[in-house]
Amino acid sequence: MRLKLVVCILGAFAPAVAQAQAPAAAPSPAVRAMAAGYKALTVCSALKTAEAAGGTRTLESVEAHELVGVYPEIDAMVRDMPVQIGARQVSVPWDEAMPPRVAVFSPGRGCAIQPVGWTGESPEMFLPGPRVNEPFVTADPVGNAALLNEAVEGAFEGRYGDGANTTAVLVLQGDRVVAEAYGEGFGVDTPQRTWSVGKSLAGTIIGAAVHRGEADVNAPAAIADWRREGDPRAAITLDQLMRMASGLTSDTAGNRTDALYFGGVGIDEQATTWPLIAPPGSLYRYANNDTLLAVMAIAPTFERHPPAALFRRLGMYDTWAETDWRGNYMLSSQVWTTARDLARFGRLYLNDGVVDGERILPEGWRDYVSRPSGPQPGGAQGYGATFWLMNSSEGVPPDTISANGNRGQYVIIAPSRDIVIVRRGEDPARKRFDPIAFTRDVLAALDTGAN
């Protein structure tokens, strides 16, 4: 097992009968542009945030992890397209008649994919405050260290999902790291994309605004495009957006929003355009747009309280909340951060929103995000307000919540056990990690009654 241990360890099925096949149609320019945008942004984010965090990533590492097993319609193109890496930007040529797709890095905000055809100047840089990265205290676990090491090693050896690619595991017990391990090419200073763990980060940013008196989750979301007389979407509340219960439609299950993430379309150009398909609050439908709209509703607060300021207050100095090219935050997915920073995020919820004696989130916010109010998804986990709920899993305390993201990102918080479990991955499509089984085994190992 190649681990660096830090602490204690689209088409129809082909017929069987041979017959003449029509040549496959070449990918459309729109699909090629999307593939190039995916590669430019992913390479830019992975390399530039690692450099800013004081670490090192190579293009070969990114190609081996982040750029394999992606969406089937662009997977092969993403692998084959050439890439050009500059001091502050990454370019990917994709069409002889068009300029390359370009992603530009800005300190404090990470990388942003520019629109198709962009040939302009790099945007003005946003400079963060001073970097004072708090070291973690490490300790032996209270419980059975051998069982804990066995569970952590199993996460890298395929015990919790055949073909899953674990890149990092960190277990926090109270304020102490009791297990931390990384796959080859990853380490304490390697940011990875959160994917939808960003939604729970967004919910936390909203919670901080509520605590400051700058947002009300029960009020209609402040979306300017919905304020026209007679628009029924004006009734959608911030709470309903946070619970994936807006009643808005989406183009695909989960609403991948590729045009926003990789295509260079601005959030304010598209996210507000979806029509209602159900009364607000009556239907659960997991969709990126609900989180994007919730963040847009509190965007006026970012001038004085940008996401980076909250991250710094939590000690998350290796975290970058990316934006579209217009400066709109993409907090439904586009955040790059380390396993240790995600543990700091989880610790905020262990402490019910208090950091160093200062309340950051409203009293009871943890209970609010943990409450399965309104319509619920099917499956093993329920949904609260930007957090998934492990409230019905054997061997897992019912107050356990988790922030889940594509390709195997998990931040699992068990307040009654004072434990945070972080698992990072680059799982290929259809190769899933089992977070509930992993959580059950880690918690069993940390049972204070274990020998």
Side-chain angles (χ1 to χ4, degrees):
M1 175 178 61
R2 296 187 297 177
L3 298 181
K4 178 168 61 178
L5 293 175
V6 177
V7 180
C8 55
I9 149 88
L10 291 161
F13 186 81
V17 179
Q19 54 182 286
Q21 298 286 333
S28 70
V31 173
R32 294 201 313 273
M34 196 71 67
Y38 188 105
K39 186 165 190 175
L41 182 60
T42 301
V43 172
C44 179
S45 298
L47 297 186
K48 301 306 181 184
T49 60
E51 181 181 338
T56 303
R57 288 294 303 276
T58 64
L59 177 60
E60 291 73 21
S61 173
V62 179
E63 289 176 334
H65 293 280
E66 282 91 344
L67 297 178
V68 296
V70 301
Y71 305 130
E73 62 269 31
I74 64 173
D75 183 70
M77 286 181 286
V78 165
R79 291 197 303 270
D80 294 342
M81 286 176 167
V83 61
Q84 301 164 351
I85 302 170
R88 285 190 52 214
Q89 65 185 46
V90 171
S91 304
V92 175
W94 63 280
D95 190 284
E96 293 181 357
M98 293 290 291
R101 297 301 311 276
V102 179
V104 178
F105 177 76
S106 174
R109 292 194 180 185
C111 294
I113 190 69
Q114 304 303 304
V116 173
W118 183 85
T119 58
E121 296 293 324
S122 298
E124 181 180 354
M125 291 193 295
F126 171 83
L127 298 178
R131 180 185 176 86
V132 190
N133 210 337
E134 169 204 2
F136 264 118
V137 176
T138 61
D140 292 331
V142 177
N144 191 317
L147 283 180
L148 178 59
N149 287 340
E150 182 180 329
V152 171
E153 290 183 4
F156 290 88
E157 294 174 343
R159 187 178 308 158
Y160 301 101
D162 183 32
N165 177 19
T166 298
T167 57
V169 169
L170 188 152
V171 180
L172 195 69
Q173 190 175 39
D175 284 333
R176 296 172 181 268
V177 175
V178 295
E180 188 175 16
Y182 295 90
E184 183 177 355
F186 295 82
V188 298
D189 48 13
T190 308
Q192 293 179 255
R193 186 181 173 196
T194 63
W195 294 89
S196 287
V197 169
K199 293 178 171 67
S200 303
L201 291 168
T204 305
I205 291 166
I206 292 168
V210 171
H211 181 64
R212 296 191 304 266
E214 298 176 343
D216 179 356
V217 295
N218 296 312
I223 304 298
D225 288 354
W226 296 350
R227 292 177 179 170
R228 301 179 185 92
E229 184 177 356
D231 191 331
R233 297 173 300 177
I236 298 172
T237 66
L238 192 55
D239 175 81
Q240 289 163 346
L241 291 172
M242 294 174 67
R243 296 182 183 279
M244 301 294 178
S246 66
L248 296 169
T249 188
S250 54
D251 57 348
T252 60
N255 200 340
R256 279 173 27 192
T257 51
D258 295 10
L260 302 180
Y261 288 172
F262 315 115
V265 174
I267 293 172
D268 52 349
E269 293 178 288
Q270 185 183 91
T272 65
T273 64
W274 299 102
L276 283 174
I277 58 171
S282 68
L283 175 70
Y284 174 89
R285 183 176 174 84
Y286 187 86
N288 297 327
N289 274 330
D290 278 16
T291 304
L292 292 169
L293 289 163
V295 172
M296 182 182 292
I298 67 161
T301 70
F302 294 156
E303 183 174 355
R304 294 183 58 234
H305 302 283
L310 177 61
F311 296 151
R312 290 197 299 272
R313 183 65 189 86
L314 301 181
M316 298 171 63
Y317 287 90
D318 292 333
T319 300
W320 288 264
E322 296 185 337
T323 71
D324 64 21
W325 68 279
R326 292 170 172 251
N328 301 299
Y329 283 96
M330 291 193 167
L331 283 159
S332 59
S333 175
Q334 308 291 72
V335 182
W336 284 70
T337 188
T338 62
R340 287 189 172 187
D341 273 9
L342 287 179
R344 293 181 175 100
F345 161 63
R347 185 170 59 185
L348 175 68
Y349 282 88
L350 288 186
N351 297 327
D352 195 26
V354 175
V355 178
D356 298 329
E358 178 188 0
R359 178 158 291 284
I360 303 297
L361 302 176
E363 187 173 357
W365 187 257
R366 185 177 69 198
D367 293 337
Y368 165 71
V369 301
S370 304
R371 192 178 307 127
S373 172
Q376 289 292 294
Q381 289 189 261
Y383 201 77
T386 74
F387 279 86
W388 292 90
L389 314 177
M390 288 189 180
N391 54 357
S392 60
S393 299
E394 183 180 354
V396 179
D399 65 343
T400 303
I401 59 176
S402 63
N404 300 353
N406 190 28
R407 296 179 71 94
Q409 321 308 315
Y410 299 101
V411 183
I412 299 160
I413 304 162
S416 61
R417 296 290 303 275
D418 206 20
I419 289 168
V420 174
I421 302 168
V422 178
R423 189 268 182 177
R424 309 303 309 272
E426 290 298 339
D427 301 339
R430 295 179 293 278
K431 302 292 184 180
R432 294 188 177 276
F433 185 85
D434 186 345
I436 295 175
F438 182 56
T439 299
R440 183 184 301 120
D441 287 353
V442 169
L443 293 178
L446 295 177
D447 187 335
T448 54
N451 300 323

